[in-house]
Amino acid sequence: MATIDGNTLIARSLKRQGVEHMFGIVGFPVFGVAAAAQKEGIQFVGMRNEQAASYAAAAVGYFTGRPGACLTVSGPGMIHGIAGLSNAHENCWPMILLGGASNSYQEGMGAFQEAPQVELARYYSKYTARPDKAERIPFYCEQAVRTSINGRPGAVYLDFPDDMLSAQVEEDDVTIPERCPEPPRTMAPTADVQRAIDVLRTAERPLVIIGKGAAYSRAEEEVRQFVESTKLPFLTSPMGKGVVDDEHELSVMPARGTALQDADVVVLLGARLNWIMHFGLTPRFDENVKTIQIDIHAEEIGRNVPAEVGLCGDIKAVVGQLNEVLEAEPFTYASDTPWWSALSEKVTENKAFVQNMMNDDAVPMGYYRVLREIQEQAPPGTIIQAEGANTMDISRSVLMHKNPRERIDAATFGTMGVGLAQAIAAQVCHPGRKVICVEGDSAFGFSGMEVETACRYRLPIVFVIINNNGIGMGFDELPEDRFQSPAMAYTIQAGYEKMIEGFGGKGYSVRTPDELSASLKQALDDSMPSIINVHIDPQARAKPQKHHWLTA
Ligand code: ADP
Ligand code: MG
C-alpha cells in the first residue's frame, strides 16, 4: 500500500486550503516541509530571517484573504516568527505559522531547540495546535485555515515535531478535507440598519471614516456608492487609502484634524477607535460625538466610545444594506452647509502648505520633494510600502491611491522593520505590478539583508531609502568619540545602495531632484530590484501638527 509522510500531508492540505505562498528559513527539522510545498505547488520563498518571513506571510493574508504561511525551525526560529504572528493578530490578517519542533519522545528532556512553542504562540493566535498524530495533520490544517479567515481574521499556529514530519502513514488512513469556503458575508439586523440611516439624517457635521477592514473585505464598490449617493465627507486611515479614490471630491483627508475634532456623527467602516484614531476621545474628537460603527467583531463595537448604532457584520454586506435603504429613501447631505465650508477651507489651506514643500527643489531635499517624485512616476496600480517614522507619516499626505490595497505599512502594531518583507509579499502576490518600498534609513536596517531575497527571486522592487542618517532625526557628523554619538544617529551618508550590487541588483546614490528623477525612471523599468539611496537634509521635518501624534 502507498504511504505518505508528514511533510507532504502538510503541504498537500495547505495547498488544498488555498495557501499559495510560504516564506521561511529551512533547517532542522523542516527541510522536508519546504521541499514538499514546492512539489505540491506552493510557492516557497527562502528568506534571511524568520522575522521578515513572518511579516511577509502576514502581508499575504491582507493582500489575498487567504493566509500566507511562514515556516520556521524549532526553538529560536519559531520564536522569531512570533514577530509576524503578533503583527497579523494586531492587524486582523490571516496568517499561519508552522513551527518545526524537537522530537515528541524527547519532550522535557532538554532536546535540541526544545521550547514551549504552542504556549508561546497562544497569546497572538486565534488557534494553536500540535496534531495528535500524522494521519490527522490535514484535519488540523483545515481547522487552522478556516479559523484564520472566519470572524475577525487573524493568526494561527501549528506545531510539528520532527518525528511527525518524517512519519510515514498509509494513504488510505488519511482524509484531506475539501477547501473551506470563503467566509460568510454576515449582515446586520434590518431594524439597526434603518436606525443608522435615521441617525445619519439628523447629523449636522457628519463624517465617514474608512479603515483597512473595508479594504480587507473588498467593500470598495459598496463604500464608493455609499459616499457618492449621500455626498458625505470622508477620510481614511493610512491603509484605508484608495478604498475610495484619495483624490475624490468628497475626500477631506487634508482636513483630517478639523474633520475628526468637529464631526457630530461618525460612520466607522472597518476602522478601530484605537491610537490611530485617537481613541475617539477629546481633544481630538467632540465629546458628544455619535458613532455608527460597522465591524465584524462584536467585541470591537463600543470600545472607547459607546456606539450610537452598532452594526455587527461584514462591511461589504452591511454597507450594501445601507445602500439598499438609501435607494428606497434617498438621503443626500447638502453641499452648502457651514460644515462643508469649514472643511473645504481647511482642505485648501493644508493642500497649499503641502504643495509648497513638494515643490521645493532645494538641495539637500526634504521628504516632501522625494515623495512627490514617487507620486509622479509611480504607474497606476503601483503598490507602496511605506515605513519609518517621518517617511511613513509624510507619505500619507503626499502619495495618493486610486485603488484599495495599494498601501501597506507599520499599521496597527506600529511595527518597524516590516518594510522589505511586505514589499516582497506584495510583489509575490502581484507579479505584474510595480512595488515601491519607501523606507527611512533606520526602518530599512531592520531587515536590509532581504534585498538578497528580492534579488535571488528577481522581484523588481524599487527600494527608495530616504536617508537622514538616523532614527526620526539625523545629524551631519558624529563626534570623534563614537560612544558619545546621539542614540538615534547612524553612519553619516551610509552607502546602502552598494549592498544590492553584490546580489545583482542596481544601486543609486542621489542628492538632487534631477538625479532622483532619472534613477527612479530607470529603476521602474528594470527587471531586477534597485536601491535608490536618497541623501536628504538630516534636519528635514514633517509639517507641524496641532496635536502630538499620541495625544492622550
Ligand atoms: P485601520 O488601522 O485602518 O483603522 P483597523 O485594523 O483598526 O483599521 O480596523 C479594522 C477593523 O475591521 C477591525 O476591527 C476588524 O475587526 C474589522 N474587519 C475586518 N474584516 C472585516 C469584515 N470583513 N467586515 C467588517 N469588519 C471587518
Ligand atoms: Mg532616518
Side-chain angles (χ1 to χ4, degrees), residues 367 388-391 439-443 466-474 488 490 536:
Y367 292 95
N390 293 315
T391 303
E439 298 274 291
D441 54 327
S442 126
I466 306 193
N467 188 352
N468 68 346
N469 310 333
I471 303 175
M473 59 187 291
M488 62 278 257
Y490 285 126
I536 62 158

Side-chain angles (χ1 to χ4, degrees), residues 224-524:
R224 192 186 43 75
Q225 186 184 329
F226 176 71
V227 296
E228 285 184 348
S229 73
T230 56
K231 299 224 180 324
L232 291 169
F234 77 88
L235 57 78
T236 68
S237 72
M239 283 185 56
K241 281 167 72 71
V243 169
V244 180
D245 186 345
D246 282 345
E247 291 176 292
H248 196 285
E249 57 181 5
L250 296 166
S251 165
V252 294
M253 204 55 197
R256 182 178 186 272
T258 305
L260 295 182
Q261 194 154 19
D262 294 333
D264 65 345
V265 174
V266 167
V267 184
L268 278 171
L269 304 179
R272 283 172 279 185
L273 291 177
N274 57 12
W275 66 276
I276 293 182
M277 287 301 161
H278 319 289
F279 315 107
L281 300 176
T282 55
R284 304 298 298 265
F285 279 75
D286 186 300
E287 62 181 337
N288 298 315
V289 68
K290 291 181 180 164
T291 63
I292 298 168
Q293 188 175 3
I294 305 185
D295 203 293
I296 199 143
H297 194 57
E299 291 90 323
E300 188 62 41
I301 293 174
R303 179 148 69 136
N304 299 328
V305 179
E308 182 74 13
V309 184
L311 301 173
C312 185
D314 172 73
I315 302 187
K316 190 176 170 70
V318 176
V319 178
Q321 289 180 281
L322 291 171
N323 289 341
E324 256 177 49
V325 174
L326 288 166
E327 267 165 30
E329 315 157 21
F331 157 69
T332 305
Y333 182 68
S335 57
D336 57 353
T337 55
W339 180 228
W340 259 123
S341 311
L343 292 171
S344 305
E345 199 176 304
K346 203 70 197 167
V347 166
T348 310
E349 183 189 322
N350 286 350
K351 264 194 181 164
F353 195 97
V354 168
Q355 201 64 48
N356 269 338
M357 292 199 281
M358 283 165 69
N359 290 340
D360 184 352
D361 281 339
V363 176
M365 290 181 278
Y367 292 95
Y368 292 84
R369 180 62 185 87
V370 179
L371 291 162
R372 176 191 129 195
E373 196 63 39
I374 295 173
Q375 169 66 19
E376 286 178 356
Q377 288 204 32
T382 298
I383 298 173
I384 302 278
Q385 198 295 330
E387 175 183 44
N390 293 315
T391 303
M392 183 165 74
D393 285 354
I394 300 171
S395 70
R396 290 202 320 252
S397 55
V398 178
L399 301 181
M400 297 294 136
H401 296 273
K402 290 219 170 304
N403 304 296
R405 301 173 295 282
E406 283 183 355
R407 178 189 168 95
I408 188 160
D409 60 28
T412 308
F413 210 21
T415 317
M416 287 296 160
V418 287
L420 283 84
Q422 291 183 339
I424 287 171
Q427 192 71 85
V428 161
C429 292
H430 299 292
R433 289 164 68 174
K434 295 287 172 198
V435 176
I436 305 181
C437 182
V438 198
E439 298 274 291
D441 54 327
S442 126
F444 175 79
F446 285 91
S447 289
M449 196 61 194
E450 299 301 342
V451 296
E452 189 278 327
T453 308
C455 288
R456 185 162 23 98
Y457 290 97
R458 299 195 198 98
L459 305 171
I461 301 164
V462 180
F463 298 101
V464 178
I465 302 177
I466 306 193
N467 188 352
N468 68 346
N469 310 333
I471 303 175
M473 59 187 291
F475 301 84
D476 293 308
E477 56 183 342
L478 298 180
E480 193 44 40
D481 176 355
R482 291 301 154 93
F483 293 98
Q484 294 301 320
S485 296
M488 62 278 257
Y490 285 126
T491 299
I492 308 302
Q493 306 271 315
Y496 295 110
E497 76 285 357
K498 297 206 173 71
M499 299 176 48
I500 200 167
E501 306 221 318
F503 309 123
K506 179 109 176 86
Y508 303 85
S509 170
V510 312
R511 288 185 169 73
T512 68
D514 285 348
E515 289 168 356
L516 172 61
S517 170
S519 57
L520 186 56
K521 188 167 182 316
Q522 271 192 43
L524 282 167

